[in-house]
Amino acid sequence: RRQLCSLPEIGPVVSADIVASVPAISLVAGWLKYRHSSIGWFFQDVIGVGFLCMLQRTLRLPNIKVATLLLSVMFWFDIFWVFIS
């Protein structure tokens, strides 16, 4: 991993970070443009999947009980935002 530069508050930046930022910025720009249209859900779903994958990779869950509790909380959180809000 070759470090390209170091940014304050972020840390070292490698070439993979630059490559990954292109589709990430494109997804966010697409969501900002189409969020009130009929295809806005696609961008929101892709961003949500990426967030959950990042969360799962960042957290090291000690056992299956904690994983089940976390998934249950995410399920009810989704139900709240879809049907109650």
Side-chain angles (χ1 to χ4, degrees):
R1 297 182 65 167
R2 199 179 101 223
Q3 180 178 339
L4 297 177
C5 64
S6 182
L7 297 174
E9 304 295 329
I10 294 176
V13 178
V14 296
S15 58
D17 295 332
I18 303 298
V19 171
S21 68
V22 173
I25 291 170
S26 300
L27 276 171
V28 171
W31 180 77
L32 286 172
K33 182 174 182 177
Y34 297 112
R35 65 181 167 187
H36 297 299
S37 70
S38 62
I39 62 168
W41 63 268
F42 172 76
F43 296 101
Q44 193 168 359
D45 283 355
V46 173
I47 292 169
V49 166
F51 175 73
L52 289 176
C53 288
M54 185 268 313
L55 184 70
Q56 185 179 16
R57 186 174 177 171
T58 302
L59 294 177
R60 298 291 177 202
L61 304 176
N63 56 34
I64 195 71
K65 289 180 184 179
V66 175
T68 303
L69 178 66
L70 185 63
L71 285 173
S72 298
V73 168
M74 288 181 196
F75 173 75
W76 290 109
F77 181 75
D78 185 48
I79 295 294
F80 170 78
W81 281 110
V82 169
F83 295 110
I84 297 175
S85 66

